[in-house]
């Protein structure tokens, strides 16, 4: 397998970093995960645009333009003869330098990207998943797709240990998002989700869902819901690049309605498949 490293293509075994690397020592970097269906990117522009927004937010200069990165990412799939479903992980850090909190001078960002196979989880998409609720203990800049994922890792691990797929995060009862996905509540035919403030990651699939809802004439309200609203919800679902549009059927062991994915969730799943050309 070939990886993209500093705008060049090398065999993955040849990718190595000094131990004094700012991503490794400070989490001083940003990343993206981009979905690939049958060898073609989905929402590529959205992901690349967000990478540049994240980099700008941490004052990290990327050593290429938006257009150059898109060209390199397309080339990465070609070099790997990628024809199946998968995902590309890309990260950009403030580079290699002797450990010091202050930004190093004259050091270029370390950027790499690689492709992995990833099959769609059709069982989860069909049946829905169980989740638990968890306090949101993250920092104030969750719109930055930063490498600092410890609170997300801890929340997801807590979920895993309770046989749950995800953790719904809340601040004093107000639902923000999940540990690695956005979350939505449906009530009386309207979709509710947290607005795109600094408290959540502005998901690329969330952007697509907003567009689908508009196309389907389903009201999409960017208003946070509370943990207390969940018991009366008609439907609940989450979205992310790797999870797609995924129904939630139980929360903290309580089933949502009859425990079956709801009709609006199903319509959005269909719209997603059409959008990604996988229907
Ligand atoms: N929120 C968080 C915290 C995430 O890590 C992710 C996944 N990257 C998302 C939301 C969903 O974003 P996207 O739809 O771009 O995958």
């Amino acid at each position: 397998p070939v990886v993209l490293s500093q705008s060049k293509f090398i065999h993955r075994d040849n990718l190595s970093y000094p131990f004094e690397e700012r991503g490794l020592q400070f989490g001083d970097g940003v990343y993206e995960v981009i979905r690939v269906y049958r060898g073609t990117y989905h929402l590529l522009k959205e992901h690349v645009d967000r990478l540049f927004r994240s980099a700008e937010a941490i004052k990290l200069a990327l050593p290429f333009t938006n257009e150059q990165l898109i060209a390199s990412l397309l080339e990465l799939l070609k070099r790997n003869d990628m024809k199946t479903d998968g995902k590309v992980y890309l990260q950009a850090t403030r580079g290699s330098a002797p450990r010091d909190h202050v930004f190093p001078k004259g050091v270029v960002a370390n950027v790499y990207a690689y492709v992995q196979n990833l099959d769609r989880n059709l069982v989860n998409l069909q049946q829905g998943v169980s989740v638990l609720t968890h306090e949101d203990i993250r920092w104030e800049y969750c719109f930055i797709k930063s490498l600092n994922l410890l609170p997300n890792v801890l929340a997801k691990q807590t979920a895993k240990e309770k046989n749950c797929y995800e953790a719904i995060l809340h601040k004093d009862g107000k639902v923000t998002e999940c540990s690695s996905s956005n979350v939505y509540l449906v009530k009386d035919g309207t979709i509710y989700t947290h607005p795109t403030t600094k408290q959540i990651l502005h998901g690329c699939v969330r952007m697509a869902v907003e567009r689908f809802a508009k196309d389907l004439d389903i009201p999409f309200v960017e208003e946070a819901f509370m943990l207390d609203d969940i018991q009366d919800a008609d439907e609940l679902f989450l979205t992310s690049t790797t999870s797609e549009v995924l129904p939630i059927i139980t929360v903290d062991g309580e089933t949502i309605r009859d425990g079956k994915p709801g009709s609006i969730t199903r319509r959005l799943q269909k719209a997603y498949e059409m959008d990604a050309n996988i229907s």
Side-chain angles (χ1 to χ4, degrees):
V2 175
V3 301
L4 174 64
S5 170
Q6 309 304 79
S7 304
K8 292 194 179 68
F9 294 95
I10 62 172
H11 191 274
R12 65 180 291 159
D13 294 346
N14 295 330
L15 184 70
S16 74
Y17 282 109
F19 63 88
E20 287 187 301
E21 205 279 335
R22 295 187 66 92
L24 296 172
Q25 293 190 321
F26 295 108
D28 187 1
V30 294
Y31 75 105
E32 278 297 329
V33 178
I34 315 171
R35 197 68 187 261
V36 175
Y37 292 111
R38 297 174 192 156
T40 302
Y41 285 112
H42 184 222
L43 304 174
L44 176 59
K45 185 181 183 310
E46 286 82 349
H47 285 281
V48 169
D49 286 350
R50 185 173 63 190
L51 178 75
F52 276 82
R53 287 200 304 274
S54 293
E56 195 188 343
I58 68 161
K59 303 182 174 125
L60 172 65
L62 295 173
F64 39 70
T65 65
N66 189 304
E67 293 72 27
Q68 284 169 332
L69 178 59
I70 286 182
S72 297
L73 288 172
L74 291 170
E75 183 68 18
L76 177 68
L77 296 189
K78 262 197 205 139
R79 298 261 183 147
N80 285 284
D81 198 24
M82 184 69 184
K83 299 223 167 62
T84 54
D85 292 349
K87 61 179 174 182
V88 165
Y89 176 83
L90 178 152
Q91 77 168 42
T93 76
R94 213 177 304 277
S96 307
R99 188 179 182 282
D100 181 359
H101 286 61
V102 174
F103 294 179
K105 281 220 168 69
V107 171
V108 285
N110 283 333
V111 184
Y112 71 75
Y114 66 101
V115 58
Q116 285 172 286
N117 287 317
L118 175 70
D119 291 332
R120 303 181 66 210
N121 191 329
L122 296 173
V123 173
N124 279 355
L125 289 167
Q126 186 56 38
Q127 295 177 358
V129 296
S130 297
V131 304
L132 53 69
T133 58
H134 192 284
E135 200 185 344
D136 189 345
I137 60 164
R138 300 174 302 162
W139 71 330
E140 299 291 334
Y141 291 135
C142 295
F143 68 102
I144 301 170
K145 204 160 167 57
S146 136
L147 293 179
N148 294 271
L149 291 174
L150 193 47
N152 310 60
V153 165
L154 293 175
K156 189 72 153 253
Q157 180 62 22
T158 302
K160 177 79 185 175
E161 286 169 6
K162 297 245 162 71
N163 286 318
C164 286
Y165 181 84
E166 252 289 26
I168 292 182
L169 305 180
H170 67 93
K171 286 199 159 129
D172 297 324
K174 187 192 265 195
V175 173
T176 48
E177 57 181 335
C178 294
S179 75
S180 63
S181 46
N182 293 112
V183 67
Y184 312 74
L185 179 149
V186 179
K187 182 71 183 170
D188 298 331
T190 296
I191 303 166
Y192 296 89
T193 195
H194 197 287
T196 48
T197 62
K198 290 181 175 177
Q199 268 102 59
I200 66 162
L201 185 79
H202 305 180
C204 294
V205 180
R206 184 190 181 286
M207 284 181 230
V209 161
E210 190 174 1
R211 169 160 57 84
F212 304 153
K214 208 168 174 200
D215 291 346
L216 295 168
D217 258 328
I218 304 167
F220 184 91
V221 176
E222 298 186 83
E223 210 179 277
F225 56 92
M226 307 296 291
L227 284 182
D228 287 346
D229 295 327
I230 291 176
Q231 63 202 46
D232 299 321
D234 295 330
E235 305 178 27
L236 216 62
F237 63 94
L238 61 84
T239 69
S240 82
T241 297
T242 50
S243 299
E244 306 185 1
V245 178
L246 188 59
I248 295 171
I249 52 170
T250 79
V251 180
D252 294 333
E254 303 283 329
T255 59
I256 304 293
R257 293 275 149 157
D258 59 358
K260 296 213 173 69
S263 61
I264 287 182
T265 308
R266 286 288 187 234
R267 289 170 72 194
L268 294 170
Q269 286 184 307
K270 217 164 249 152
Y272 180 93
E273 290 186 342
M274 301 253 288
D275 196 64
N277 229 338
I278 49 175
S279 51

